[in-house]
Amino acid sequence: MPPTLKEEGCLNYDLHQDNENPDRFFFYENWVSYDHWQQHNNSAHIAAHKKATEGAVVEVVIGQLSPVS
């Protein structure tokens, strides 16, 4: 998490654990722009994380949300 928090455009990057299923985690992220988020997804530390957790992660679900005015 520390490398992500230092990335340009990262507003917050919060890790949560499910209270009923301790094997389920949720990242809540806010980025200045879609491009910043894509740069994050293509970063070396995210690639390293994917490699390090290969076979240990059952499912990754990514959703994009927009604020409601």
Side-chain angles (χ1 to χ4, degrees):
M1 288 179 47
T4 296
L5 292 168
K6 294 177 185 176
E7 286 182 62
E8 181 181 340
C10 180
L11 299 174
N12 70 288
Y13 191 75
D14 302 322
L15 175 61
H16 300 266
Q17 186 175 27
D18 190 314
N19 291 336
E20 295 178 12
N21 180 352
D23 293 331
R24 183 178 294 157
F25 295 89
F26 175 80
F27 279 100
Y28 181 74
E29 312 172 28
N30 281 297
W31 295 89
V32 169
S33 70
Y34 178 83
D35 289 337
H36 285 100
W37 179 53
Q38 290 307 299
Q39 289 172 16
H40 161 70
N41 288 332
N42 295 318
S43 68
H45 60 273
I46 292 300
H49 172 72
K50 287 178 182 177
K51 184 174 182 176
T53 59
E54 189 174 344
V57 176
V58 174
E59 179 182 29
V60 175
V61 177
I62 298 175
Q64 297 178 49
L65 306 171
S66 296
V68 178
S69 302

